[in-house]
Amino acid sequence: MDQHHQSTTTNSAALTLTTPLHCIVKLGGSAITCKNELETINENNLSTVSSQLRQGMILGPSQGMDWSRRPGSLDIPTVVDEVDDRLASNPKKFLVVHGAGSFGHFQASKSGVHKGGLSRPLVKSGFVATRISVTTLNLEIIRALAREGIPSIGMSPFSCGWTTSERNIAVADTSTVVKAIDAGFVPVLHGDAVLDNSQGCTILSGDVIISHLAEQLRPDYVVFLTDVFGVYDRPPTEPDAVLLREIGVREDGSWSVLQPKLQDTSRQVEITVAAHDTTGGMVTKISEAAMIAKLGIDVYIVKAATDHSARALKGKLTDDIPDGWLGTVIRLAK
């Protein structure tokens, strides 16, 4: 079910960052989990993405920060007695938001949390089950980032007091996020089940969260890491699907394909949404990316754990897009 964009009545703290935010990264649920296998992480992708994030934000060596034992493991965690104060002395400021993938979506869909109705036992149970699932994934992502030496801190929208009204963001206090970034941490937020003033509860998607944070914090650029190379004119599984390399967004929010020039102008961009996806899938992603681009912030949609995602995370696409780079750039039309 599509998630509406936040309303103009959004309540946010009036804090601003002391130094600019370099990048907001969206870890797509389908890229870091096995989306058709309940609560299963794509370990290889998550490990590669975490390494690429470290390379994008930290110059020089770093020290692992996960000193706790993983469930079911007999390994004793390595605790560093001495940490070199010169390590990662001036990292770039990043913020991470991740989707749910095979965590949370199934629970929310089965119980109808996105439709509201907390007075129903099934919905209330589903709300609890959804939050258990998405916060479990959040912890695993934090640990993967911490193992790479990224000082990641988990922040759930529900726990931070974010709420909606008719499924539009109503209250979204970003003060804790700003303070964490200024303190040198990397906040890691996620799509979440939240309270809704009109229907009791709903699902707040990670894409909507990113759009709101981009408007408030104005990063240099935003990267969406997905399980495909970018946005296509139709489902990428179709043999004649065309990768859209550049999409231009007008000031009124409408958008058009700039590259490549489609030979058949009657072809419309077709979007499919998985049956269990309660947050709008690619429809929401493009809509929110366009809202970000309207602010003059470039958005890169690229396949996770590839050389193309590594280039995007390092900020090497802010000028010209290399011919060999595979992905979609969404930016304000000139």
Side-chain angles (χ1 to χ4, degrees):
M1 181 173 291
D2 292 357
Q3 175 90 34
H4 297 295
H5 192 265
Q6 64 263 27
S7 67
T8 56
T9 59
T10 299
N11 178 16
S12 296
L15 289 178
T16 56
L17 292 166
T18 56
T19 56
L21 179 64
H22 191 65
C23 178
I24 296 179
V25 180
K26 167 64 186 299
L27 301 182
S30 58
I32 55 174
T33 73
C34 303
K35 199 161 186 178
N36 294 320
E37 299 179 30
L38 182 62
E39 297 188 342
T40 302
I41 295 174
N42 186 327
E43 299 284 358
N44 289 336
N45 270 14
L46 180 56
S47 176
T48 301
V49 165
S50 298
S51 176
Q52 290 182 350
L53 271 169
R54 175 184 56 78
Q55 295 170 38
M57 68 175 294
I58 299 175
L59 299 177
S62 59
Q63 179 65 57
M65 300 178 181
D66 182 6
W67 297 351
S68 56
R69 176 181 288 175
R70 299 193 68 178
S73 174
L74 298 179
D75 294 337
I76 303 299
T78 300
V79 178
V80 179
D81 295 325
E82 296 183 7
V83 177
D84 190 339
D85 288 338
R86 295 171 296 178
L87 290 178
S89 58
N90 190 29
K92 297 177 181 177
K93 294 185 180 295
F94 273 62
L95 186 153
V96 175
V97 181
H98 66 82
S102 61
F103 290 73
H105 277 304
F106 289 102
Q107 290 88 343
S109 178
K110 290 293 184 181
S111 60
V113 169
H114 56 294
K115 298 178 182 178
L118 275 177
S119 60
R120 297 176 56 209
L122 174 62
V123 175
K124 183 165 290 184
S125 298
F127 190 98
V128 172
T130 299
R131 295 213 69 251
I132 290 173
S133 188
V134 296
T135 54
T136 296
L137 175 61
N138 183 250
L139 177 58
E140 289 303 310
I141 291 173
I142 291 166
R143 297 189 71 157
L145 296 175
R147 286 193 292 272
E148 288 290 333
I150 298 173
S152 50
I153 298 293
M155 293 185 178
S156 295
F158 177 86
S159 301
C160 289
W162 289 36
T163 62
T164 58
S165 180
E166 297 182 352
R167 299 173 56 239
N168 299 312
I169 291 181
V171 176
D173 187 344
T174 59
S175 60
T176 304
V177 174
V178 169
K179 290 177 181 177
I181 295 173
D182 279 338
F185 294 106
V186 176
V188 182
L189 289 82
H190 58 86
D192 203 2
V194 297
L195 299 179
D196 185 276
N197 296 336
S198 59
Q199 65 179 40
C201 63
T202 193
I203 299 296
L204 180 61
S205 82
D207 295 327
V208 174
I209 292 169
I210 281 185
S211 180
H212 175 73
L213 291 173
E215 183 178 8
Q216 297 294 314
L217 305 180
R218 302 299 174 107
D220 294 337
Y221 58 94
V222 173
V223 178
F224 283 78
L225 300 178
T226 72
D227 62 338
V228 292
F229 282 107
V231 178
Y232 291 78
D233 67 334
R234 57 197 57 226
T237 53
E238 295 187 7
D240 60 344
V242 176
L243 175 65
L244 308 180
R245 290 178 52 81
E246 184 175 2
I247 294 175
V249 179
R250 305 178 187 90
E251 292 185 356
D252 63 0
S254 62
W255 53 273
S256 60
V257 179
L258 302 182
Q259 294 186 49
K261 299 295 184 181
L262 299 179
Q263 298 298 318
D264 183 358
T265 58
S266 66
R267 292 183 71 159
Q268 299 294 317
V269 176
E270 300 175 5
I271 305 298
T272 59
V273 180
H276 60 268
D277 195 336
T278 60
T279 59
M282 189 61 77
V283 175
T284 302
K285 195 180 305 296
I286 295 177
S287 174
E288 299 304 325
M291 296 300 295
I292 295 169
K294 275 183 60 178
L295 304 172
I297 301 169
D298 285 2
V299 178
Y300 308 108
I301 300 179
V302 59
K303 188 171 183 177
T306 64
D307 291 341
H308 311 289
S309 61
R311 297 179 84 170
L313 291 170
K314 290 180 179 179
K316 293 187 175 182
L317 305 174
T318 53
D319 297 319
D320 295 329
I321 306 301
D323 291 337
W325 185 77
L326 294 181
T328 301
V329 180
I330 302 179
R331 56 172 45 136
L332 189 64
K334 298 179 181 179

